Amino acid sequence: MSRHFLFLLGSSRPDGNTELLARRAAEQLPAEVEQRWLSLAEHPLPDFVDLRRDSDHVHPAAGSNPALLLDATLAATDIVIASPLYWYSVSGLTKRYLDYWSGWLRTPDIDFKARLAGRTLWGVTALAHEEEEVADPLIGTLNHSAAYLGMRFGGVLLGNGSKPGDVLKDTAALAHAKTFFAREAPLARYPYETHATGDTQGARTGRDTPGTHGTRDTQGMAAAR
């Protein structure tokens, strides 16, 4: 199967640091790899309504934003969540998109879980902290979602920045972006599974080691947007 990358931009404004870093990584993909970029801010989803106790979800109406995002998700071999770190996790736009996965799992004739199994989920995020451990909740959200669906997880490319364009000064992040999509992503596992097998491979792939520049009094939600 030829590869088709879907980049989902979860920032509330365009051309933020997360998007800049994602585009630097995408530049390294082979020319024959198809790329599709969708902004969740430009294709807003209505509030998600959980119907599992009442009825099945129905296929979204043709031409709607839910239908657009569902079709794009199912068509992708590789899904890249490019979300800034907002309050130590994914942005609200990104979380709403992931909530819709719950509905698509329960929509007849989609086979959402079976169709995503074996495909690859990636993450890209910009954060204002130099201590990268603060991004662990975001990484956990993506890793555990991939594990539930039987997907592969390529980890999260981390960059540092707060003001517009700051991430382009992060030479370590830009260097890692050149090879981020080159490795074969392993099957996602829950932490209790990795502990049981002794697999200690981390999902925080923005650096070889966590930041060691000391503590900064900077709120995590003040990520480059």
Side-chain angles (χ1 to χ4, degrees):
M1 176 187 292
S2 59
R3 298 181 75 182
H4 174 182
F5 272 70
L6 172 64
F7 290 83
L8 293 167
L9 304 176
S11 179
S12 59
R13 66 184 181 187
D15 301 321
N17 285 296
T18 297
E19 180 178 348
L20 290 175
L21 184 59
R23 291 192 181 277
R24 285 299 181 95
E27 288 173 359
Q28 311 305 316
L29 290 170
E32 65 270 17
V33 173
E34 184 178 351
Q35 298 181 32
R36 185 175 187 182
W37 294 75
L38 290 175
S39 166
L40 295 175
E42 294 175 3
H43 301 88
L45 292 167
D47 287 337
F48 175 71
V49 179
D50 188 352
L51 300 176
R52 64 184 139 175
R53 300 297 182 188
D54 303 310
S55 64
D56 285 334
H57 288 262
V58 298
H59 198 286
S64 67
N65 286 334
L68 170 71
L69 289 166
L70 171 60
D71 292 344
T73 300
L74 292 176
T77 61
D78 296 78
I79 300 169
V80 185
I81 301 293
S83 169
L85 188 73
Y86 284 173
W87 287 108
Y88 310 105
S89 189
V90 295
S91 68
L93 292 168
T94 303
K95 180 59 168 61
R96 182 173 295 186
Y97 163 73
L98 293 176
D99 284 347
Y100 267 74
W101 285 18
S102 298
W104 296 337
L105 282 166
R106 296 172 175 84
T107 301
D109 303 322
I110 289 180
D111 295 326
F112 188 75
K113 187 172 184 178
R115 292 174 69 176
L116 261 63
R119 303 189 189 191
T120 304
L121 185 67
W122 308 82
V124 180
T125 191
L127 58 154
H129 268 275
E130 292 181 352
E131 294 76 23
E132 294 170 351
E133 294 90 338
V134 301
D136 285 353
L138 179 148
I139 295 168
T141 292
L142 300 183
N143 177 78
H144 301 351
S145 299
Y148 178 76
L149 292 171
M151 301 177 71
R152 297 180 177 275
F153 184 52
V156 177
L157 175 63
L158 302 175
N160 186 268
S162 181
K163 294 182 294 184
D166 269 356
V167 76
L168 299 180
K169 304 173 187 176
D170 188 340
T171 56
L174 296 180
H176 193 75
K178 292 182 178 181
T179 59
F180 181 60
F181 293 126
R183 73 188 188 98
E184 182 177 354
L187 283 173
R189 295 176 177 174
Y190 290 109
Y192 57 81
E193 294 175 315
T194 59
H195 294 160
T197 61
D199 182 357
T200 58
Q201 181 178 3
R204 187 190 304 122
T205 59
R207 302 284 191 281
D208 294 328
T209 57
T212 56
H213 301 290
T215 301
R216 292 172 53 192
D217 185 16
T218 308
Q219 286 286 0
M221 67 84 62
R225 292 179 287 275

